[in-house]
Amino acid sequence: VDTEHVRAMPDEVRRRALARVPFGRFATCNEIAAVVAFLCSADASYLTGASIHVDGAMRLNDLTLGREDPDRAQTAERSGSP
């Protein structure tokens, strides 16, 4: 989330974090608040047990769609894991 704390991070750290976000930017506080407001509203009254990812599609980076994940393979190679 684009906050003062995040903006205070070193540029390289922010750049690496943004590289993992397909949207190419951090969420705004208003975007997070809009999700919370929806969840607190009557419009969400039938929603139960749901995980809602407000992450700019970052979670999609963890999907390999059946392909080998090159990052995971390199990590396993370094650690000696299969």
Side-chain angles (χ1 to χ4, degrees), residues 28-40:
T28 66
C29 293
N30 286 342
E31 288 170 321
I32 302 301
V35 174
V36 172
F38 165 72
L39 292 172
C40 294

Side-chain angles (χ1 to χ4, degrees), residues 10-57:
D11 288 339
E12 177 61 20
V13 173
R14 256 193 346 270
R15 187 193 65 70
R16 283 195 322 256
L18 279 175
R20 295 193 44 86
V21 182
F23 275 27
R25 64 177 180 79
F26 294 115
T28 66
C29 293
N30 286 342
E31 288 170 321
I32 302 301
V35 174
V36 172
F38 165 72
L39 292 172
C40 294
S41 74
D43 291 334
S45 65
Y46 204 69
L47 224 158
T48 60
S51 294
I52 299 174
H53 303 277
V54 186
D55 62 6

Side-chain angles (χ1 to χ4, degrees), residues 46-67:
Y46 204 69
L47 224 158
T48 60
S51 294
I52 299 174
H53 303 277
V54 186
D55 62 6
M58 193 166 85
R59 185 176 175 89
L60 293 178
N61 281 339
D62 294 333
L63 297 178
T64 61
L65 302 175
R67 297 183 303 265

